[in-house]
Amino acid sequence: MRYAETGFNLEIDLSTGNVERVETDPRLTELHLGGLGVSAKALWDRVPPEVEPFSPDNLLIFSAGLLVGTPAPGANRTIVSTVSPQTLFMAYSMMGGFWAPELKHAGYDNVIIRGKSPKLVYLWIHDDKVEIRDAAHLSGKGAGETSELIRAELRDPKVQVAAIGLAGENRVCFASIEQGKSSASRLGIGGVMGAKGLKAVAVRGTKDINIARPAEFIEYCNGVLQYIGVRDQRPVPGVMPILAGLGSPQEMKLIDEEWHTTNFMWGNSRTRRKDFWSKEIEERWRGTQESSRRRLISCHNCPMKCSAIISVPGVATYMMKCFSKLTYTMAAYSDLDFGFRIAQRATEYGVDAFSAPQVMAYGLELLEAGILTAQDFAGMPSDNEGKFYWLLDRIVRREGIGDVLADGTYWAGKRFGKAAEELAHNNIKKHEQLPLKLGMLNPVYFLMYATGEKSNITQIEGQFPQAPFLTRAEREDFVKDWIHVPDEKFKQYLLDWEPRGEHSNPYYPTVQMSCEIVDWQEKMHYIDDALGMCAGLSSFPLKPPYHIHNYPAIISAASGLDLDEASLTHITRRNRTLVRAFNNRRGLTRADEAPPQDHWKKRFPELEAKLLDEYYKFKGWNNQGIPTKETLHELGLGYVADELAARGILTASPAAPGAAKD
Ligand code: SF4
């Protein structure tokens, strides 16, 4: 019997219409757990680096992690993996909501889709019955509208639907996949779905999931729920309110926007609006939010309610979560009310709320700079908000200037020439990063930005505070119940971290400490992403219910795998290294790991080089950020080492002085 997982994948070839239910090898679970781990393995095995993102040979994998569908609170993530049309590396975007648990109950851990349908279709997965259905009538429909139409067609309101909007159909490189209460937004996975001619995947499942040791597991789950309740009463003092509790940043519940509005860029600017926030704006935005928010909502099996139903006069009701509340507002130098209104249209179109507003602001700056002309924007309204609606419509239809902007700022910059490339100043690995504009470099964040492949700051930060507490007393208070640290030394790192002086950024935390902190944070993300656990209850917030000390027992009780901290860490290193190797095989090197120049005003080139050198060594990678042969063999990835060597990727390059021997 298989526990926690179903033991079956769906393999679907949209070119031939072939659908297969395939039993999976239990050894894969032992090696990679599930979710991101097994997806990375499938991509490594089946998508060679020559495959283009929109090629029928690219895979699109919908994966429910190992704990999804079990009673573990927060285990509801769908991990969607493919090759990104933006970065040309692996994309793995995650969505919460209800889709992945439904897939597990239908009897599958993963849906692996290849090929390209000659006409627009949707998948209907209903337990053992799987159909590829005509979707001609859904062409051009919004993502939410598509879900409603499919539910009506199937006459079952409980069907969970993951769908693309017009942006995905038109292969916009930052198109998202939307489903009810969440979306998988980053790196253009919706565009890959559109290139396959796949409008939606609808799922309904009625089967049970086996648990290896049910009584023990339920006890752990109850413990997690109790802790969530306790933590709810104890926000972390000295931390901004939206980050002081659990879950995603609590932007739907609270108005706490001073930090974002004064430390992130507005539009495509290079400067901050340091004096933007005021009592008057706080009150006005509170009024806007409270009048627009119908109610707070949660994902499957979670009490946290991080999302909200938003309803604005004249606009259909929709769901919003997290920082997307501000992205359109700030891109257009506008007001929160505008942000709530345009986000509805953008959600129906299915675009990434981080990238899309930045791309539109970038387009307008190209016009202001004279790189593009009024002719390129013929028909655009003159008012600021009208410009953004107009641009959004052009981009998702790939009409006129929108066709170039639909590729994102990096590729549009390449197309328009050097001056335009310089204005695309907020990219890393060819995609739009969160638009930080901070003063002093933080070494931990530098490493996370530079080397992370999850492509989202909120998904690469973690259980170590983002900034030092102001006083020693606050630090001492924080570490008192900090049971989450993998080692007691992390408490001392925090106790000694000062806002100013010798023990402050950028030289403290030291290089070695920064490597250890980033490695811990990244480890937690890779565990979550293999389990399908929401980062909001584990790798993202301070003092979460899931951590490295209780995870092995929880996973073991659910799955029957015999795990302790060391073996869980080993599996996690294997998954992380496989993602890195997949991207190395597609050309990722040290040169790609450069955060935007203006993310921090004060930069330290020698320190940054040293941070990268030491972090690579810490991870067992060579000086180009490529896992060494020894590391790969230690992790049971000898086949990866052989291929990287055969392709000449693991040969020490003369252009990389100090490269570790592989
Ligand atoms: S913590 Fe928030 S985002 Fe995460 S599963 Fe719960 S409701 Fe969803």
Side-chain angles (χ1 to χ4, degrees), residues 626-641:
I626 301 166
T628 64
K629 193 167 154 186
E630 289 76 15
T631 301
L632 291 165
H633 279 279
E634 182 207 336
L635 295 171
L637 299 172
Y639 60 97
V640 174

Side-chain angles (χ1 to χ4, degrees), residues 556-606:
S556 296
S559 66
L561 293 171
D562 186 15
L563 288 175
D564 57 17
E565 286 181 33
S567 54
L568 181 57
T569 298
H570 194 70
I571 294 170
T572 309
R573 279 186 66 214
R574 180 181 297 122
N575 288 346
R576 199 282 167 261
T577 305
L578 191 52
V579 170
R580 166 70 36 159
F582 181 83
N583 288 336
N584 293 139
R585 193 173 62 167
R586 295 190 70 89
L588 174 73
T589 67
R590 183 182 183 122
D592 294 292
E593 311 221 283
Q597 195 55 37
D598 58 2
H599 257 29
W600 300 277
K601 201 168 175 183
K602 294 187 183 151
R603 297 297 289 262
F604 300 82
E606 274 181 35

Side-chain angles (χ1 to χ4, degrees), residues 298-508:
S298 270
C299 308
H300 171 84
N301 191 22
C302 181
M304 285 309 302
K305 297 187 179 165
C306 300
S307 314
I309 302 284
I310 300 291
S311 177
V312 185
V315 172
T317 299
Y318 69 105
M319 187 284 301
M320 176 180 270
K321 185 178 115 179
C322 204
F323 185 55
S324 48
K325 171 172 126 183
L326 291 186
T327 54
Y328 292 97
T329 296
M330 290 171 69
Y333 276 77
S334 188
D335 200 65
L336 189 59
D337 170 63
F338 166 73
F340 278 143
R341 278 186 283 115
I342 193 169
Q344 188 275 340
R345 191 183 294 189
T347 304
E348 280 299 301
Y349 281 152
V351 286
D352 174 14
F354 284 4
S355 284
Q358 287 190 49
V359 173
M360 293 189 276
Y362 172 69
L364 291 175
E365 191 170 4
L366 293 180
L367 175 63
E368 282 161 23
I371 295 165
L372 297 176
T373 67
Q375 216 178 343
D376 294 315
F377 293 81
M380 184 170 74
S382 57
D383 67 294
N384 209 28
E385 296 183 358
K387 286 177 185 172
F388 275 77
Y389 278 111
W390 185 87
L391 270 172
L392 181 60
D393 290 349
R394 302 282 93 63
I395 288 170
V396 302
R397 292 185 168 79
R398 281 192 172 273
E399 286 174 2
I401 192 64
D403 187 31
V404 187
L405 293 176
D407 291 339
T409 56
Y410 174 86
W411 296 105
K414 285 243 165 275
R415 178 93 166 260
F416 294 134
K418 193 157 178 47
E421 279 186 78
E422 280 169 13
L423 291 180
H425 61 96
N426 198 42
N427 290 321
I428 182 167
K429 298 187 177 114
K430 307 184 189 69
H431 76 283
E432 297 78 21
Q433 193 35 286
L434 274 188
L436 278 187
K437 295 288 164 280
L438 297 178
M440 178 55 77
L441 179 112
N442 173 329
V444 173
Y445 272 74
F446 168 81
L447 276 181
M448 293 193 304
Y449 269 122
T451 65
E453 279 146 275
K454 202 166 174 179
S455 305
N456 184 337
I457 180 173
T458 57
Q459 296 175 327
I460 53 178
E461 62 193 36
Q463 297 181 5
F464 197 88
Q466 294 183 19
F469 291 100
L470 294 180
T471 65
R472 178 96 190 172
E474 283 176 297
R475 282 170 240 148
E476 283 172 355
D477 190 49
F478 182 86
V479 302
K480 268 186 207 152
D481 62 351
W482 203 15
I483 55 165
H484 312 73
V485 287
D487 188 295
E488 289 294 301
K489 67 187 173 190
F490 288 96
K491 293 184 180 175
Q492 199 59 47
Y493 296 172
L494 186 76
L495 284 169
D496 292 342
W497 193 17
E498 304 269 359
R500 273 172 295 282
E502 199 188 334
H503 277 182
S504 68
N505 293 339
Y507 294 107
Y508 195 95

Side-chain angles (χ1 to χ4, degrees), residues 73-77 96-97 181-182 246-248 250 297-307 321 533-537:
N76 53 47
R77 260 40 194 174
K181 297 177 177 50
S182 197
L246 297 175
S248 293
Q250 293 294 302
I297 50 173
S298 270
C299 308
H300 171 84
N301 191 22
C302 181
M304 285 309 302
K305 297 187 179 165
C306 300
S307 314
K321 185 178 115 179
M533 180 59 67
C534 172
L537 292 181

